[in-house]
Amino acid sequence: MLSTSFSSFSLPLDDALYLLQRFLTSSNHIKQIHSVLFTTNALLASKRKTKFVYNTLIRSYLTTGQYKTSLALFNHMLANQVKPINLTFPSLIKAASSSFSVSYGVSLHVQALKRGVLRDPFVPTSFVQFYGEVGDLKSSRNMFDEILDPCVVACNSMLDAFGRNGEMGSAFEFFRRMHVTDVVTWTTVINGFGKNGSHGKAVILFREMIENERVVVITPNEATLVSVLSSCANLDQGGVHLGKQIHGYVTRKEIILTATLGTALLDMYGKAGDLEMALIIFNQIYDKKVCVWNAIISALASNGRPEKSLEMFEIMKSRNVHPNGITLLAVLTACARSKLVDLGIQLFTSICSEYKITPTSEHYGCMVDLIGRAGLLADAVNFIESLPLEPDGSVLGALLGACKIHEDAEIGNKVGKTLIGLQPQHCGQYVALSTLKALDNNWTEAEQMRKVIVEAGIRKIPAYSLLS
């Protein structure tokens, strides 16, 4: 095992390569090896195998989530006149997309052109993925079109780029034209439909995947099952039935309930209101990561068991599982449903402070819901006015919902008008405002609100899953 005294030794590059590969996921060891190489001037261009050490260092920092360090190493590599090769770029491109360093990714593209490494199809494939992830679909497609004979991996990257950027029509057309597909292909399209709210299409495609007779049988993997279960959880009709069939498939195949797959099942049963099965699934998951606890806390809070939800939260903390932003949302929802305003405010403050969670507008919206549901509308307004950011639709929507519950037309009408300006295509604002107009005996304006919904073709916004 490496120790702190390790940095006092010199290190041959062959040994450095071996150690980097051995401790690829150990951040501290990587830093120690890097320190030795740096202080002993082992990373100069004159040294043999230097470029391979740089490549491995870059990949090591990427693996441990230190994206900026990976990118900084490339700068250091160029400064030391060490020439990058084709193997240098995929890790760097991934680091650029993971840190959303768009300008750096573009500069890597320039370097790749300059170095002539785009002939290796793995490099342009990485750029297809990068441009898709940063929202530049045009560049992603242009990059794909430059690949002479794109393999299934490159095609899957293009599919993912379409889905990430809401172009599921193009994605599905592209998918149908593919001569070779694999499980990643089908999963990417299924997941794309789900992410873009077309849950019915996701479920239909999954059925086609498992029922079609093909020369090469494609078996769904965990990612496929998680994607389709997420869509099942969000379908208004028939989703639970298919979700139960998938659960049966998981059981028959003796597939281990990992944290991710277990959370998908738990989330589906929770949204269906089947708390008994949700708790059974929860108890069957061996590795209860934070996403598992979030799902059960949310399921209990949303199905009339807020006290049990808060009890689960305390058990979670006692197991040394650190809450995250989603946990905070679920806990605040439980407090709101129980009208435990003081406890909710206390937990909001303590969780953010203890676990270094920076509240988002969604958290502030939950706080407004907590205070407003209890009938403390004036306090809710004061809370909004004290926020460090401009209130958005989630915050004002929570206040409008509270006004509707407590039939406060005065505050509700003011908030409703602001909300419609912020979210003109959101159906809920019009419905709530119409109800408040009616409560205020303003029937003409109430009816007008309803007409706006029909005439503008405004539709209900689809729900989302905890896994989204």
Side-chain angles (χ1 to χ4, degrees), residues 259 263 266-267 282 288-302 309 312-313 316 321-331 333 357 466-467:
T263 299
L266 205 167
D267 181 44
F282 175 77
K288 292 183 175 65
K289 294 181 179 176
V290 65
C291 60
V292 179
W293 290 96
N294 289 345
I296 193 63
I297 291 168
S298 183
L300 291 165
S302 301
S309 175
M312 278 290 188
F313 173 64
M316 170 188 169
V321 179
H322 286 192
N324 60 17
I326 297 174
T327 320
L328 180 56
L329 289 174
V331 168
T333 299
I357 296 172
L466 285 172
L467 295 163

Side-chain angles (χ1 to χ4, degrees), residues 44 119 146 166 170 214 253 268 302 415 448:
L44 299 178
R119 289 188 293 271
E146 290 179 17
S170 299
R214 290 180 297 273
K253 297 292 184 180
M268 189 269 296
S302 301
V415 175
Q448 186 61 35

Side-chain angles (χ1 to χ4, degrees), residues 192-441:
F193 276 132
K195 294 285 187 184
N196 287 281
S198 299
H199 302 294
K201 290 181 180 179
V203 167
I204 290 169
L205 190 60
F206 175 75
R207 285 190 183 280
E208 182 184 333
M209 175 185 178
I210 60 176
E211 292 173 1
N212 258 14
E213 294 182 2
R214 290 180 297 273
V215 176
V216 179
V217 177
I218 297 177
T219 304
N221 60 17
E222 180 177 300
T224 320
L225 297 175
V226 168
S227 294
V228 74
L229 281 169
S230 178
S231 283
C232 289
N234 286 299
L235 272 178
D236 292 332
Q237 293 181 336
V240 177
H241 177 68
L242 177 60
K244 287 180 178 179
Q245 290 181 321
I246 295 170
H247 185 189
Y249 174 87
V250 169
T251 303
R252 287 194 307 276
K253 297 292 184 180
E254 298 182 344
I255 299 172
I256 295 172
L257 282 185
T258 62
T260 305
L261 180 57
T263 299
L265 278 168
L266 205 167
D267 181 44
M268 189 269 296
Y269 281 115
K271 285 190 168 144
D274 191 343
L275 288 181
E276 182 180 355
M277 187 55 72
L279 285 165
I280 289 172
I281 296 294
F282 175 77
N283 290 324
Q284 288 177 346
I285 301 170
Y286 176 74
D287 184 17
K288 292 183 175 65
K289 294 181 179 176
V290 65
C291 60
V292 179
W293 290 96
N294 289 345
I296 193 63
I297 291 168
S298 183
L300 291 165
S302 301
N303 287 283
R305 300 285 300 279
E307 295 85 1
K308 180 67 175 176
S309 175
L310 293 171
E311 181 185 323
M312 278 290 188
F313 173 64
E314 293 302 324
I315 296 172
M316 170 188 169
K317 290 196 298 180
S318 72
R319 303 275 175 87
N320 293 319
V321 179
H322 286 192
N324 60 17
I326 297 174
T327 320
L328 180 56
L329 289 174
V331 168
L332 290 175
T333 299
C335 290
R337 298 292 165 87
S338 302
K339 296 184 179 179
L340 298 171
V341 178
D342 291 339
L343 177 61
I345 293 172
Q346 176 194 328
L347 287 171
F348 176 78
T349 304
S350 62
I351 292 172
C352 289
S353 173
E354 184 176 353
Y355 298 101
K356 308 294 186 249
I357 296 172
T358 302
T360 64
S361 58
E362 199 172 358
H363 293 113
Y364 291 129
C366 276
M367 285 295 290
V368 172
D369 182 53
L370 167 72
I371 300 166
R373 272 179 183 266
L376 305 172
L377 295 175
D379 290 338
V381 171
N382 290 335
F383 177 81
I384 291 173
E385 290 175 348
S386 70
L387 293 181
L389 45 77
E390 281 294 315
D392 65 2
S394 61
V395 175
L396 297 177
L399 180 58
L400 182 60
C403 290
K404 184 180 173 183
I405 292 170
H406 296 286
E407 302 182 357
D408 191 318
E410 183 182 354
I411 297 176
N413 284 326
K414 292 178 184 177
V415 175
K417 289 176 183 176
T418 305
L419 262 174
I420 288 174
L422 287 172
Q423 300 175 328
Q425 292 298 311
H426 195 299
C427 174
Q429 327 298 14
Y430 293 90
V431 174
L433 196 52
S434 174
T435 303
L436 287 167
K437 297 283 186 187
L439 289 170
D440 204 26
N441 293 320

